Amino acid sequence: MQGFLREGLVDELTITRIPVLLGQGIPLFGDLAKDVPLQHMRTTSYESGFVQSTYRVVR
């Protein structure tokens, strides 16, 4: 994913969060050379506790 973000090939990101605490996690995107500005488009929550958010990459 980092390479696609770095090359400007990502228009939208949908991130789903699951209600589980991890002792140690893995960074979602790793190191990026610069910040990637995002605009929130929508968030949906589900009975299972999942929360899904969609963002547009601001160019």
Side-chain angles (χ1 to χ4, degrees), residues 14-46:
T14 299
I15 299 172
T16 303
R17 293 175 301 285
I18 301 169
V20 174
L21 292 177
L22 302 174
Q24 289 187 342
I26 299 171
L28 190 57
F29 299 108
D31 290 332
L32 293 170
K34 60 180 182 173
D35 292 345
V36 178
L38 303 174
Q39 178 184 21
H40 178 256
M41 296 174 67
R42 67 186 158 276
T43 295
T44 306
S45 43
Y46 299 91

Side-chain angles (χ1 to χ4, degrees), residues 5-18:
L5 283 168
R6 195 173 20 258
E7 297 298 323
L9 299 173
V10 176
D11 293 323
E12 281 186 15
L13 291 172
T14 299
I15 299 172
T16 303
R17 293 175 301 285
I18 301 169

